[in-house]
Amino acid sequence: MEATGIAVKMPVRIESGQVAYEMRLEDPRSGVGTSPAAVRTLPISTFLGKPLRLEHRGEYACVRCGTALKKVFGEGFCYPCFRNAPEAAECIVKPELCEAHLGRGRDVQWEEDHHNQPHAVYFARSSALKVGVTRLTQVPVRWIDQGASWAVVIARVPYRQLAGRIEVAMKALYTDRTAWQRMLKDETPADPVDLAVELQRVRELLADCEPELTEYLVQPGQAEPLTISYPVIAPPEKVKSVNLAKTPLVESILQGIRGQYLIFEGGAVLNVRRHSGFRLRISVLGG
């Protein structure tokens, strides 16, 4: 089995209690993301234990407009899209700066459709307990993309900027980062999270600095944690990130997938999302 195309973030779903992944490869000559005929998907989580070959021949294309490139910016954009597209705006990583609720943004309609929508503030456990923000319709996809083993919505707000304000306040007590090496090695702390205690800590914190936002917090009895299982044969003892721009060929046995990482025998790991816009050839050897 073999497929060639421009890599984008892997689509995910939960199937029979475990995350199932697809490798999505797009053909910009037909318009990236616009035509079903321009997309090839591989059920990559079914390839565990099989030897894979991933090859990059120095070709790129913008994941938004499809322009052929010599290099990509951000997560797979040409420079004009990186500079102007709403998907690359500062409020993607700093939601507290979002102005969608004011009718402003790089693309007002895109902001209305994506950011002036109900959002969740959540706890997730991938390495340490962390805080995060996502659109409600992206639960649990966002948690899976971060490799969380456990996650729960702790606040629901009507638009993105409010979620960002809660997250900023919570950074006084919690990280907003995932230690990806620890996550892939499955070094999540074993002790359970006392959700009632943590929610009370958050409530007291907001009461001091953002009292009007406490109304959006869920009650302990309304918080429904989700435990997430990933297709991993065995966590690696050590991990080494692979950059296909520098090492254009990976040929190894697929040992697992977690977050947006492919985990290979020996601990080599490839962040698929960070390779958005790369033209790849993927082969299942002997298959």
Side-chain angles (χ1 to χ4, degrees):
M1 183 180 295
E2 182 176 290
T4 301
I6 300 300
V8 296
K9 183 174 80 72
M10 290 184 288
V12 300
R13 65 186 185 280
I14 295 179
E15 188 175 89
S16 301
Q18 188 177 83
V19 179
Y21 288 87
E22 290 182 338
M23 193 76 184
R24 181 180 173 97
L25 300 172
E26 300 183 342
D27 184 354
R29 293 170 296 185
S30 302
V32 171
T34 62
S35 168
V39 176
R40 178 77 186 274
T41 59
L42 296 174
I44 196 161
S45 53
T46 67
F47 301 155
L48 254 62
K50 296 183 179 180
L52 296 187
R53 178 186 175 96
L54 280 74
E55 184 179 6
H56 170 60
R57 296 184 176 180
E59 298 178 6
Y60 307 86
C62 177
V63 297
R64 190 169 196 270
C65 70
T67 301
L69 304 169
K70 293 183 179 179
K71 64 178 293 187
V72 290
F73 296 84
E75 292 185 352
F77 298 103
C78 64
Y79 186 71
C81 286
F82 179 68
R83 184 184 59 206
N84 300 316
E87 296 94 330
E90 190 175 17
C91 66
I92 296 294
V93 294
K94 295 184 176 181
E96 68 274 14
L97 301 180
C98 184
E99 296 184 322
H101 60 292
L102 302 176
R104 297 200 289 261
R106 289 184 175 184
D107 181 321
V108 172
Q109 188 58 55
W110 190 95
E111 293 287 347
E112 179 67 26
D113 293 342
H114 294 82
H115 287 174
N116 195 24
Q117 298 292 330
H119 274 62
V121 182
Y122 61 85
F123 277 138
R125 212 169 191 191
S126 48
S127 47
L129 185 66
K130 71 177 290 290
V131 59
V133 166
T134 192
R135 196 164 71 249
L136 267 175
T137 55
Q138 286 297 102
V139 172
V141 170
R142 178 63 174 162
W143 302 344
I144 294 169
D145 286 345
Q146 294 184 334
S149 59
W150 175 98
V152 61
V153 172
I154 61 169
R156 295 179 176 87
V157 298
Y159 52 84
R160 185 172 181 82
Q161 189 256 10
L162 292 178
R165 286 171 57 191
I166 294 175
E167 182 185 46
V168 167
M170 289 179 62
K171 288 180 187 180
L173 296 176
Y174 307 96
T175 183
D176 66 335
R177 305 284 183 178
T178 297
W180 63 269
Q181 298 97 330
R182 292 186 60 199
M183 177 267 288
L184 292 174
K185 291 188 287 184
D186 199 24
E187 293 180 349
T188 305
D191 56 304
V193 175
D194 190 327
L195 191 54
V197 169
E198 300 301 340
L199 284 171
Q200 184 59 32
R201 293 180 74 199
V202 174
R203 190 172 298 277
E204 292 172 358
L205 175 69
L206 291 182
D208 287 339
C209 61
E210 292 271 24
E212 67 274 24
L213 299 183
T214 58
E215 66 175 286
Y216 299 111
L217 294 175
V218 304
Q219 298 300 319
Q222 298 173 327
E224 299 181 2
L226 176 68
T227 300
I228 304 171
S229 175
Y230 296 89
V232 177
I233 295 174
E237 294 182 4
K238 296 181 179 180
V239 294
K240 181 180 179 180
S241 181
V242 174
N243 181 344
L244 291 178
K246 298 178 179 179
T247 307
L249 178 65
V250 174
E251 190 171 303
S252 185
I253 294 173
L254 182 65
Q255 290 287 95
I257 313 173
R258 184 165 178 174
Q260 283 287 315
Y261 288 87
L262 303 181
I263 305 168
F264 293 97
E265 191 174 50
V269 299
L270 186 140
N271 186 334
V272 174
R273 189 168 194 168
R274 291 294 182 187
H275 286 82
S276 295
F278 285 55
R279 180 175 290 278
L280 304 182
R281 174 176 291 174
I282 302 177
S283 308
V284 183
L285 303 180

